[in-house]
Amino acid sequence: MSTEEACSTFLVRHAWLSLRGVVAEALVEHDLSVAQFASLLLLRESPGMSVADVARKVSTARQSANEMLGGLERAGLVERRQHPTDRRSQQIFLTPTGSARLEAALPTVQAVEDRLSAGFTESDLAVVSAWLHRMAGASAGINEEISTL
Amino acid sequence: MSTEEACSTFLVRHAWLSLRGVVAEALVEHDLSVAQFASLLLLRESPGMSVADVARKVSTARQSANEMLGGLERAGLVERRQHPTDRRSQQIFLTPTGSARLEAALPTVQAVEDRLSAGFTESDLAVVSAWLHRMAGASAGINEEISTL
DNA sequence: GCAAGAACGTCAGGTACCTGTCAACTGTCG
DNA sequence: CGACAGTTGACAGGTACCTGACGTTCTTGC
């Protein structure tokens, strides 16, 4: 409609802000921030990641990830162990408490997302996912484009 | 694929971060930040908006908008005038310089977006837009849901 | 006409995030 | 083996953004 919405970039931004708000609201009762929830989700799938691994996965700075993991550690949801061979890095694991917290929060978040996507068909959602993946890979594509110049 | 990407929220976040980076890179040659570009775009469509109007439109705090507009004003791209009747608010207008800057930057940004969306059909993009609009309206839908509780 | 409420721009303070940097450590290549 | 580039976690410093509050001005209901 409007000129600003013609730029899909800002539409994506509004969608992100809105989703973030909704998810954050759904997570307050579980005492988790959105970033923390994402990290727990990540650690469930790939236990033993390093701080740097987490930072790369969630697209944030190493330091930000470190601080956020510090919060999770202080809350007893996560624990850091020394890497068995690599003495500079540390492995991060979910504690039973953290795992339970995640399992409790996950359905809440997914319920919110499912409710929001209600009315869209499977193929619609597949198209959306493909487009979002394309956009998410855009910054990686920059390097490729630079090399072609 | 991965568990984290199963949550569309984080996929949207990555898309936004990536798009933001690409657009920011396209805007450096025009000496504009992404937020400034969005504001110029907004002001071209609706001249005479107040600071609070801009803040609402770009989903940011009044103060943030004020600071950013201050930058645009210092750069001579925008000018503030006293509102003719409402003495507490001020109207913001594009200067000729600002208008020219926007016209120069706009094709660059749209070229980037078009290139990224290449390969998607019109109907695909319509679905994506509809989904994003739905998500963007999610936070507005919260109130509605609260009222149903 | 006037009191109550809301909205405007602005100031102060805090939070979250990033960049830049460092020492320690790993892997690689001559 | 030993120099060297790359990586990891941590430290300081800076930036951008937000919340909360204020004085002023508009608007609404009585």
Side-chain angles (χ1 to χ4, degrees), chain A residues 57-130:
Chain A
K57 276 278 190 181
V58 300
S59 294
T60 187
R62 276 202 308 269
Q63 169 139 359
S64 306
N66 201 8
E67 295 170 359
M68 183 201 47
L69 288 172
L72 286 175
E73 189 180 21
R74 252 174 282 120
L77 305 180
V78 138
E79 87 183 328
R80 310 158 107 119
R81 300 180 204 157
Q82 204 52 240
H83 190 104
T85 67
D86 192 336
R87 269 189 300 174
R88 65 196 160 162
S89 74
Q90 46 201 212
Q91 292 183 302
I92 304 169
F93 294 93
L94 288 180
T95 64
T97 312
S99 191
R101 183 79 64 90
L102 174 60
E103 297 303 328
L106 192 49
T108 311
V109 174
Q110 284 190 335
V112 170
E113 290 194 350
D114 289 349
R115 181 173 54 79
L116 283 173
S117 283
F120 288 88
T121 67
E122 283 293 328
S123 63
D124 281 350
L125 295 179
V127 169
V128 170
S129 176

Side-chain angles (χ1 to χ4, degrees), chain B residues 50-52 56 62-63 66 88-89:
Chain B
S50 69
V51 177
R56 273 188 293 268
R62 279 202 308 272
Q63 169 142 355
N66 200 9
R88 64 191 161 164
S89 72

